[in-house]
Amino acid sequence: CKKIDQLRAVNGIPPYAPVSNRSLLSPVTLPIIRDANIKNDTRLRIFSGTANPSLSQEIASYLGLELGKINIKRFADGEIYVQLQESVRGCDVFLVQPTCPPANENLMELLIMIDACRRASAKNITAVIPYFGYARADRKSQGRESIAAKLVANMITEAGANRVLVCDLHSSQAMGYFDIPVDHVYGQPVILDYLASKTICSDDLVVVSPDVGGVARARAFAKKLSDAPLAIVDKRRHGHNVAEVMNLIGDVRGKVAVMMDDMIDTAGTIAKGAELLHQEGAREVYACCTHAVFSPPAIERLSSGLFQEVIITNTIPLKEDKSFPQLTILSVANLLGETIWRVHDDCSVGHEPYSSLDID
Amino acid sequence: MAFFVKISAPCSLAGHGTTSSSSGSSRSKRGLLLPVGAGAGAGAYGGRQYSDVVPVPALSQAQASSSGGRLRIFSGTANPRLAQEVACYLGMELGRVKIKRFADGELYVQLQESVRGCDVFLVQPTCPPANENLMELLIMIDACRRASAKTITAVVPYFGYARADRKMRGGRESIAAKLVANLITEAGAHRVLACDLHSGQSIGYFDIPVDHVYGQPVILDYLASKTICPDEVVVVSPDVGGVARARTFAKKLSDAPLAIVDKRRQGHNQSEVVHLIGDVRGKVAVMVDDMIDTAGTVSQGAELLHREGARAVYACSTHAVLSPPAVDRLSSGLFQEVIVTNTVPVLHHRTFPQLTVLSVANLLGETIWRVHDDCSVSSIFQ
């Protein structure tokens, strides 16, 4: 009731709150919600897990909503307890929780949140997973292994989610691990908009894939970056998390090299790739990625002087102690907020300013 | 009399240098009744004439049951020659199955021997006509389930719809590879044996065990038998999606260097070559892909390689789908040799002088034996 009164008090127009982080998406006014929609609007609920509350808050602000109240705590034995502190009966619930490190803790929290919503008679439950942990475990590279990404997909579905919203899955085939609808959005447009705002002559650019697995992603990026040429680091890895640079395929001499990946974990691959690019005569090296996992010793490698700039998004929250001068953090809150709105409103047309974001 | 005898010779996985020109007839030429395996020798059935209605002799059945093997291999109509080769490798006869099509196009499958308690392997690539061959496989699986087979393994040398493995950006599309995985599982298969799936992630579409084998060792063994100096070879990926596959190939081909054709496609089944990343001047370029369909990608890539100074161009691929106008493109003189395997049968009218067809029968046969005997499959590739 308070919610409804609060909405009516502002004549049905949700307040537009500017995003606190640097966000380069041009401001777009949300559609004016007609009185007839107010009732529907009260059905939209966004809850945050503990993994990335500031992103969730930004998303809620974008939508002109408050985050739903939820009590999440951990018992002495490590078990997680979740209680919703408001009714979600008949509601369209979005649970925002990246399953970033600590992956198993954050995953279990998400599953328990989903189960809590189901048992509280939520009408629809959407898991909003800006960073999908275990995404790299997407194939059996040798025999006798799990495909953990598939297992996680099964767990989320079994917990009771009706749909999933993810950002930059490591491989796009992983959408097929779910039998429920998956909306897959990309951090790429956010990064592209930022790069476009910098004064780099398009003739000077080469997009570089740091490994052979990501060539398709880098090439899609290159096409949108003034159809820039492409180069590939052919790295022949000899063990998990050990990188060895072998060869550069393509030419970067005198150019600005933009390395593109979906995530940076220990930064071994991208740091050795950057060293190679400098050896091959690149004038400058930028690193771009959506997911800043930044496991040790990533910070040391990224801040060592190899990179002109390291551009990431906030799908994974970054603690203060992981900041360094070359780092730029962009926000995907508007992107996720807009997608949530369209999912909720069963909308796929209109709002042309976002058509380039490929949100269906 | 032992019903099953495994070949005692050392395993020859690659059929080293073997050339098997598979010219199976098209299905339409066989009319409506398509008995498979009926032409095999009398074997365990003591010279008895094949007949739809004569029951299996109790003695033979008892012998079959008591042999402990319980291994049965049946073939669909998509690639009976491959299935026969696989059975020969295992020293077995194909199981007798009647597959026919009714006037309205519906398929009918009847097993003509008992599979109760058996470990059944159904060999059926879902190559064109994809939907017909898929439906036949599903009906075979269902028939085996209803006939109380103990375990049913779908052996799918070529997995149709494998390329439909993702939704494009903003797409309102199916992920048909996932749908097919669900259909095979729902039909009753307990496990799947697949060869060179288009993407390694597709194994994750199944909730049942998948043994994924590769045609690559067969092709590598063949290439090793040719007199190409390792220093002269560059492995080329015809598109950016297949770089990981080509790189694996390059590592095993004397750690050869790699090049990539950066093709920026303008539409479905249209190709446009933009750029070669890497260097092939004066070299022998070996293009590697998992399949050749219309051959547009691989042909335009080959043209580019010649312009960039390659001395000779080879094309290697596991799956020879060869939809029109593939044969015209492949035989036009761009390629020194086109090396494929028989996961998809290569019909006689699609052969051409540069074509070499290798057999994956030994590879599949060995895998089937290991699956049946609960031995390691991955050690085949070590």
Side-chain angles (χ1 to χ4, degrees), chain B residues 12 32 44 47 89 91 105 161 170 198-199 209 211-212 261 313 347 378-379:
Chain B
S12 171
L32 295 183
Y89 175 83
Y161 289 102
H198 186 62
S199 62
D211 288 299
H212 187 197
V261 178
V313 178
L347 306 183
S378 52
S379 51

Side-chain angles (χ1 to χ4, degrees), chain B residues 251-272:
Chain B
K251 280 179 83 174
K252 295 189 175 176
L253 201 59
S254 308
D255 213 20
L258 188 59
I260 297 103
V261 178
D262 181 3
K263 159 186 64 70
R264 302 203 173 180
R265 192 186 297 251
Q266 307 297 331
H268 270 309
N269 278 345
Q270 290 181 34
S271 303
E272 182 180 2

Side-chain angles (χ1 to χ4, degrees), chain B residues 174-229:
Chain B
S174 168
I175 301 178
K178 162 64 161 168
L179 172 61
V180 170
N182 287 349
L183 294 174
I184 289 171
T185 307
E186 284 303 313
H190 298 98
R191 61 185 310 127
V192 172
L193 165 49
C195 188
D196 263 314
L197 291 166
H198 186 62
S199 62
Q201 289 93 349
S202 298
I203 297 173
Y205 294 164
F206 291 89
D207 282 307
I208 55 182
V210 178
D211 288 299
H212 187 197
V213 300
Y214 300 88
Q216 216 177 62
V218 176
I219 296 173
L220 282 164
D221 273 7
Y222 175 77
L223 281 179
S225 73
K226 300 181 80 71
T227 54
I228 305 175
C229 182

Side-chain angles (χ1 to χ4, degrees), chain A residues 167-182:
Chain A
C167 188
D168 265 315
L169 285 170
H170 186 61
S171 62
S172 47
Q173 289 95 347
M175 262 192 278
Y177 295 164
F178 291 90
D179 282 308
I180 56 183
V182 179

Side-chain angles (χ1 to χ4, degrees), chain B residues 247-366:
Chain B
R247 176 173 153 280
T248 302
F249 196 91
K251 280 179 83 174
K252 295 189 175 176
L253 201 59
S254 308
D255 213 20
L258 188 59
I260 297 103
V261 178
D262 181 3
K263 159 186 64 70
R264 302 203 173 180
R265 192 186 297 251
Q266 307 297 331
H268 270 309
N269 278 345
Q270 290 181 34
S271 303
E272 182 180 2
V273 175
V274 171
H275 186 58
L276 179 70
I277 307 173
D279 187 19
V280 297
R281 190 159 301 276
K283 304 285 190 179
V284 174
V286 179
M287 301 186 87
V288 176
D289 211 342
D290 61 326
M291 70 174 75
I292 298 176
D293 191 349
T294 59
T297 297
V298 78
S299 297
Q300 298 207 9
E303 280 177 23
L304 176 66
L305 294 175
H306 282 297
R307 288 203 297 272
E308 295 279 335
R311 208 174 79 232
V313 178
Y314 288 74
C316 303
S317 151
T318 300
H319 306 305
V321 184
L322 304 189
S323 303
V327 172
D328 303 321
R329 287 169 164 161
L330 295 171
S331 57
S332 66
L334 287 167
F335 298 97
Q336 179 77 21
E337 195 170 354
V338 176
I339 303 157
V340 300
T341 81
N342 61 348
T343 56
V344 177
V346 178
L347 306 183
H348 185 74
H349 69 264
R350 288 186 175 159
T351 59
F352 50 94
Q354 301 94 332
L355 183 67
T356 297
V357 184
L358 309 176
S359 180
V360 292
N362 289 11
L363 174 67
L364 293 176
E366 182 65 21

Side-chain angles (χ1 to χ4, degrees), chain A residues 192-209:
Chain A
L192 281 165
D193 276 1
Y194 175 76
L195 282 178
S197 73
K198 298 180 80 72
T199 54
I200 305 175
C201 180
S202 52
D203 288 343
D204 283 349
L205 282 175
V206 177
V207 173
V208 180
S209 175

